[in-house]
């Protein structure tokens, strides 16, 4: 199977996907009611999309193509309202967060589609353990060469998005010690991690042909890379974020990415190289394990600093781009998150105050649904 042509799209346009938890309002465990909720939402108003995910206790929503923070935030708020109204009809709630705090993977049910059954047959129990919840952000690119350049240039900023979005400290009732335990589940898949260092679409096509001829992959969907090109959309897709606890945070993360992309494209502060990936796995682990308190090593200078300081410096560098993109409100929310802590910290604070984990999940659901 040959790699499809890269479909041009307007530069720096945005699309956001959120994988969301469906929880029972009785015990706040995951509820296998995706089919019911999809039925209720079949005639929703709005340009956004809602569809199933790999297990029946998940759904995925996707925004329309957006250009600015204000309209993106407004669409996510409308989406939240309609999803929340639909969930209440079924006596369930909807929550963000990268993992459910105490669900057991063995109890999950694969959603009945051909692709999800294929994944389950191929990956065994890993498919059910993939009941984790992420935010994906698409950024428009005008051609494949630009997309690959931007993909590799963004590699040094991947820890920013892991640390800022981290909201998965608990797995099966245990504090894992990680701010983002979700990415450990993703990393278990053999085609996860970083994309190969291809710098042109033709070169990437050669790589793709080699992979398909081995029979290991059938399409781009089989790659679970942290950032991957999506030729059918004309985008690159950042996949490392946990689903935040609020849609406001989701919109801010997307526009922080948009600002960085504009800064990279217009100022070209460095040229990406294969050597950038020498510290990639270390930086990624630090962000997953320690969140904003993790270390990050600059692949060019080899200097080591705290992630929260690197984010603040980056916010200062992209400030003028945030102004041009009308994203200052998003930048302010990101800056506040650096000082106030990420969502993993917020969940841990609730538990430390004596809230049992079901109450922590209830609080997360109320927050995502705009109830508190």
């Amino acid at each position: 199977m040959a790699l499809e042509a890269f479909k041009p799209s307007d530069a720096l346009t945005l699309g956001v996907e959120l994988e969301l938890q469906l929880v029972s309002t009785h015990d706040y465990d995951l509820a296998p009611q995706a089919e019911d909720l999809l039925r209720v939402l079949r005639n929703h108003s709005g340009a956004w999309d809602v569809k199933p995910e790999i297990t029946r206790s998940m759904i995925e929503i996707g925004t329309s193509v957006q250009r600015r923070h204000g309209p993106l935030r407004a669409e996510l708020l409308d989406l939240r309202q309609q999803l929340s109204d639909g969930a209440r009809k079924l006596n369930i709630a909807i929550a963000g967060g990268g993992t459910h705090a105490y669900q057991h993977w063995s109890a999950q049910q694969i959603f009945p589609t051909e692709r999800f059954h294929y994944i389950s047959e191929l990956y065994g129990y890993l498919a059910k353990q993939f009941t984790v919840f992420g935010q994906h952000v698409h950024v428009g690119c005008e051609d494949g060469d630009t997309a690959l350049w931007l993909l590799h240039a963004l590699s040094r900023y991947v820890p920013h998005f892991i640390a800022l979005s981290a909201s998965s400290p608990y797995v099966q009732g245990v504090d894992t010690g990680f701010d983002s335990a979700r990415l450990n589940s993703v990393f278990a898949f053999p085609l996860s991690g970083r994309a190969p260092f291809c710098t042109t679409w033709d070169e990437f096509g050669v790589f793709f042909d080699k992979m398909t001829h081995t029979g290991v992959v059938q399409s781009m969907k089989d790659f679970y890379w942290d950032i991957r090109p999506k030729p059918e959309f004309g985008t690159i897709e950042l996949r490392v974020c946990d689903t935040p606890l609020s849609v406001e945070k989701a919109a801010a993360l997307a526009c922080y990415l948009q600002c960085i992309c504009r800064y990279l494209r217009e100022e070209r502060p460095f040229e990406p190289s294969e050597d950038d990936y020498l510290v990639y796995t270390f930086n990624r682990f630090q962000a997953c394990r320690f969140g904003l308190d993790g270390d990050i090593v600059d692949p060019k200078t080899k200097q080591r600093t705290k992630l929260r300081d690197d984010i603040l410096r980056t916010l200062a560098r992209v400030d003028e781009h945030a102004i041009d993109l009308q994203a200052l409100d998003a930048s302010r929310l990101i800056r506040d998150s650096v000082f106030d802590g990420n969502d993993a910290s917020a969940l841990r604070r609730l538990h430390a105050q004596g809230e049992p984990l079901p109450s922590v999940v209830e609080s997360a659901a109320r927050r995502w649904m705009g109830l508190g």
Side-chain angles (χ1 to χ4, degrees), residues 28-80:
Y28 285 91
D29 201 350
L30 289 179
Q33 291 189 246
E35 289 161 293
D36 298 326
L37 184 58
L38 291 169
R39 192 177 306 115
V40 168
L41 294 170
R42 183 179 297 134
N43 297 318
H44 71 80
S45 62
W48 48 271
D49 181 44
V50 58
K51 59 186 179 182
E53 251 299 337
I54 190 165
T55 60
R56 292 175 185 250
S57 299
M58 311 171 66
I59 58 167
E60 179 181 280
I61 59 92
T63 68
S64 60
V65 177
Q66 296 289 336
R67 288 172 170 78
R68 295 291 182 265
H69 175 251
L72 172 62
R73 183 178 181 274
E75 184 175 39
L76 285 169
L77 288 170
D78 171 65
L79 178 156
R80 180 183 74 180

Side-chain angles (χ1 to χ4, degrees), residues 67 69 126 147 170 187 250 351:
R67 288 172 170 78
H69 175 251
L126 290 178
Y170 298 106
F187 217 41
H351 196 39

Side-chain angles (χ1 to χ4, degrees), residues 163-356:
L164 286 164
S165 69
S167 59
S168 52
Y170 298 106
V171 173
Q172 296 193 54
V174 176
D175 189 330
T176 63
F178 280 71
D179 275 18
S180 177
R182 164 187 160 270
L183 280 173
N184 294 329
S185 296
V186 179
F187 217 41
F189 286 76
L191 298 174
S192 61
R194 48 155 290 200
F197 192 73
C198 300
T199 58
T200 69
W201 197 246
D202 287 343
E203 183 183 356
F204 186 78
V206 172
F207 164 81
F208 185 82
D209 287 344
K210 290 179 179 178
M211 291 299 292
T212 54
H213 287 148
T214 67
V216 173
V217 301
Q218 297 178 10
S219 73
M220 285 296 301
K221 289 183 178 180
D222 294 321
F223 295 113
Y224 292 87
W225 296 328
D226 293 344
I227 315 176
R228 69 182 179 188
K230 291 288 284 184
E232 68 271 32
F233 295 156
T235 66
I236 57 170
E237 178 189 15
L238 179 75
R239 300 167 50 83
V240 297
C241 294
D242 286 358
T243 297
L245 298 184
S246 70
V247 295
E248 293 88 349
K249 181 76 170 287
L253 286 165
C255 292
Y256 179 49
L257 177 63
Q258 184 187 40
C259 292
I260 291 175
C261 288
R262 190 174 192 264
Y263 159 72
L264 291 171
R265 286 170 55 104
E266 295 200 358
E267 299 189 28
R268 296 265 176 160
F270 58 85
E271 283 299 318
S273 72
E274 177 66 49
D275 284 352
D276 291 351
Y277 290 101
L278 293 174
V279 295
Y280 183 83
T281 303
F282 172 84
N283 289 343
R284 187 184 190 278
F285 171 81
Q286 286 281 315
C288 290
R289 174 69 175 85
F290 302 108
L292 295 164
D293 293 321
D295 290 340
I296 186 170
V297 176
D298 186 296
K300 299 295 185 188
T301 67
K302 310 303 185 290
Q303 290 183 327
R304 186 164 171 164
T305 187
K306 290 296 181 185
L307 257 170
R308 63 175 69 250
D309 296 330
D310 200 57
I311 293 169
L312 290 173
R313 280 192 292 269
T314 301
L315 283 166
R317 291 190 189 104
V318 305
D319 200 45
E320 65 182 81
H321 300 283
I323 294 172
D324 292 342
L325 292 168
Q326 301 171 29
L328 281 178
D329 286 345
S331 293
R332 291 190 192 101
L333 194 154
I334 296 298
R335 188 174 283 105
D336 289 345
S337 297
V338 173
F339 291 108
D340 297 341
N342 57 25
D343 288 342
S345 300
L347 294 171
R348 283 191 171 112
R349 279 196 298 270
L350 285 172
H351 196 39
Q353 292 166 5
E355 295 284 348

